[in-house]
Amino acid sequence: MTTSSYLWWQTGVIYQVYPRSFKDTTGSGVGDLWGVVEELDYLDQTLPVDAIWLSPFYPSPMADFGYDVADYTDVDPLFGDLEVFDELVERAHQRSIGVIVDLVPNHTSDRHPWFIESRSSRESLKRDWYIWAEPQLDGSPPNNWISVFGGSAWEWDEFTEQYYLHSFLKEQPDLNWRNPEVKKAMFDVVRFWLERGVDGFRVDVAHYIMKDPHFRDNPVDPERGRSIHRPMGDYDSQFHIHDSGHSDVHDIYREFRQVLDSYSDERPRVSIGEVHIFDWEEWVRYYGENLDELHMPFNFTLLNVPWDARAVRDAVDSLEAALPDGAWPNYVLGNHDESRLATRYGREAARVAAMLLLTLRGTPTLYYGDELGMTDVDIPADRQQDPWILDTAKMGRDPCRTPMQWSPKPNAGFAPPHVDQLWLPLAEDYETVNVQVQLKNPTSLLQLYRRLLTYRRRKPVLQRGAYRALDGVPPACFVYVRTDVGPSSDGWERLLVALNFSSQAQRICVDSWGAGSLSLSTHLDRQGPVDLGDLTLRPHEGIIVEVSDR
Ligand code: NOJ
């Protein structure tokens, strides 16, 4: 690829804003879109990032905090209105920050007018917009499918005496994408946001939208969860081969891509699918046989491997090996459904994780607050919000969704100081772990993110260079090289990234790479010439070395 063929979403860094928790300007205790507008300088100047992905802000009864959409083409008054949304896009674009919105195609809210109409009678013109089925002879649900949130995926409707499918909450009925009217309506939604200037979509549970047309039972998994990477209660008792991921899904994403492409002349738009599939062969299919489906399925592999140099290297190498020619990689270390990165790995390792995420080949997506080392917050039972915890013990996602910690002021600068109760409690450490305090500390985690982000911006080799892991290093280290055409005497630019995953010092020796100049340490306290034949990494230290000769 020539330099000019790289697109903004390939070279850039995406930052996920969970609007409920980013900044509350109205005093409701819930974040809003004005809050995002107010913090554009933070995203642009302090960090800086290239695009934000906004989790849903659409009108919603909030049974699943916005992933139950009651109107796809408006803004919930809690978050603002279309006017502030337009302002956000305009102001973000002035700063060259792209805006990616969440598209929730698999299900609506049960209060969406489409579902209300569908459920009104078997003869309704929208009956077939959702997935309705007859009970079995004994009255039980049509098949054994289980909702991700636990229990049968079918809900009995007393009034019309049929079951409807809900892969998530019963308040989130699944749309029937086999009905061409549904497809048209959803593509109209896509056009609506593209016309308002959005730069792309994060597609919620993208693989779910097509299921087995014959509603066959899922096979039982006797080992409960052998095929998946984290315990999900009841859901683990089956192989989910019929309730999601039917191969007809690919026709839909080919068409979806055409809609996006028809808006991409003046500015390329992007689609990123939330695809929880851990079989690479199946996963890469979402790029499309001719790279004509989603631009990227999210790569969640690193969330599911232990913090161990070999395991992480294997995850990266296996992705690199699985990618079809031209398919662009990406990495995720946190989001609104996962335990916080600093909780999973610890605060020291979180620095190494930041370097990993921002130096691998592919688009990184950061989750708000991870740049501060925000950790999971224990939520007292009477403050819990997530419907998942109410159904399945320990599955609650509230701990990773607590308010952004901006300053040591009351309410952490997230909400006006007089607000009594925030939608979720603040972390207890907010007086020390916050943007304001970390900006004053030259070696804070936030400063490390800033340095990594600005360095990455300056270094095309990090944005687009080839990746190769080095062998012959201590087992606790993951060492790799990024290479690209560049200014050195042999016409190449090379960076060596060495990460120590352990709490002991490690000595590495990569003689063949000659001398180098250390440009960044995760400890933010050293720079300058180093001998690659004898290099010591301190406990939990990662470094980037510019290499001049091989
Ligand atoms: C995936 C989203 O990330 C999650 O938060 C949501 O609960 C489900 N999809 C259902 O929409």
Side-chain angles (χ1 to χ4, degrees), residues 64 67 107 149 168 172 202 204-205 274 336-337 397 401:
D64 188 19
Y67 284 98
H107 43 266
F149 290 157
F168 294 85
Q172 294 168 296
R202 174 266 188 188
D204 190 62
V205 287
E274 188 202 14
H336 64 290
D337 293 327
R397 298 161 296 176
R401 297 177 174 178

Side-chain angles (χ1 to χ4, degrees), residues 194 254-269 291-293 295:
L194 288 170
R254 262 191 300 280
E255 274 188 65
F256 172 59
R257 175 64 172 270
Q258 284 163 16
V259 178
L260 242 63
D261 286 352
S262 69
Y263 284 81
S264 291
D265 276 353
E266 97 192 86
R267 202 171 68 255
R269 319 289 172 116
L291 302 185
D292 52 359
E293 296 182 29
H295 294 88

Side-chain angles (χ1 to χ4, degrees), residues 38-179:
E38 261 184 28
E39 293 302 341
L40 280 172
D41 275 347
Y42 173 74
L43 299 165
D44 178 31
Q45 303 290 318
T46 308
L47 288 174
V49 294
D50 303 277
I52 51 173
W53 147 34
L54 297 166
S55 289
F57 48 77
Y58 314 110
S60 163
M62 304 289 169
D64 188 19
F65 295 103
Y67 284 98
D68 48 324
V69 180
D71 180 351
Y72 285 108
T73 54
D74 207 344
V75 175
D76 194 289
L78 192 59
F79 297 124
D81 51 26
L82 282 171
E83 207 177 313
V84 62
F85 180 81
D86 290 343
E87 188 176 329
L88 169 57
V89 171
E90 192 185 327
R91 294 214 197 175
H93 285 173
Q94 283 162 2
R95 293 166 164 81
S96 300
I97 293 181
V99 178
I100 296 170
V101 297
D102 220 305
L103 182 72
V104 189
N106 180 66
H107 43 266
T108 66
S109 158
D110 61 348
R111 317 260 184 90
H112 194 295
W114 297 345
F115 187 69
I116 294 175
E117 199 178 324
S118 179
R119 148 181 247 182
S120 67
S121 93
R122 287 195 184 202
E123 283 69 48
S124 149
L125 290 178
K126 289 211 168 48
R127 184 68 171 178
D128 188 49
W129 280 42
Y130 292 82
I131 300 175
W132 293 93
E134 296 296 337
Q136 299 193 44
L137 289 177
D138 63 357
S140 61
N143 64 22
N144 72 352
W145 295 356
I146 289 175
S147 128
V148 175
F149 290 157
S152 171
W154 297 93
E155 180 71 10
W156 178 245
D157 180 57
E158 287 288 345
F159 186 62
T160 57
E161 299 194 321
Q162 274 187 323
Y163 281 95
Y164 67 84
L165 181 70
H166 58 92
S167 299
F168 294 85
L169 296 175
K170 67 178 174 18
E171 293 84 359
Q172 294 168 296
D174 283 28
L175 282 161
N176 176 15
W177 275 81
R178 295 188 183 276
N179 180 331

Side-chain angles (χ1 to χ4, degrees), residues 226-383:
R226 188 185 46 187
S227 59
I228 54 164
H229 294 242
R230 65 170 194 187
M232 284 175 58
D234 258 12
Y235 190 76
D236 294 346
S237 64
Q238 300 180 350
F239 291 109
H240 293 273
I241 60 171
H242 291 314
D243 53 0
S244 63
H246 189 275
S247 58
D248 291 345
V249 76
H250 299 288
D251 295 335
I252 304 282
Y253 288 119
R254 262 191 300 280
E255 274 188 65
F256 172 59
R257 175 64 172 270
Q258 284 163 16
V259 178
L260 242 63
D261 286 352
S262 69
Y263 284 81
S264 291
D265 276 353
E266 97 192 86
R267 202 171 68 255
R269 319 289 172 116
V270 68
S271 51
I272 311 171
E274 188 202 14
V275 177
H276 285 279
I277 292 179
F278 296 95
D279 164 10
W280 289 123
E281 212 177 303
E282 194 52 33
W283 180 82
V284 297
R285 293 187 68 201
Y286 286 79
Y287 284 99
E289 258 171 48
N290 301 307
L291 302 185
D292 52 359
E293 296 182 29
L294 297 170
H295 294 88
M296 299 185 283
F298 263 137
N299 167 21
F300 297 122
T301 342
L302 292 182
L303 289 165
N304 294 303
V305 298
W307 185 247
D308 167 84
R310 186 73 230 182
V312 170
R313 175 189 166 166
D314 287 348
V316 174
D317 286 353
S318 65
L319 167 73
E320 288 279 348
L323 282 174
D325 252 8
W328 191 252
N330 75 90
Y331 293 93
V332 173
L333 283 183
N335 64 35
H336 64 290
D337 293 327
E338 304 288 340
S339 170
R340 285 265 181 198
L341 134 64
T343 298
R344 294 197 319 267
Y345 308 150
R347 279 217 167 103
E348 284 176 299
R351 300 177 79 96
V352 180
M355 184 170 275
L356 171 79
L357 184 60
L358 291 168
T359 57
L360 284 172
R361 187 178 82 91
T363 308
T365 301
L366 310 180
Y367 181 51
Y368 87 92
D370 277 354
E371 72 275 26
L372 306 173
M374 279 175 62
T375 48
D376 289 349
V377 176
D378 268 340
I379 311 289
D382 62 339
R383 298 287 308 275

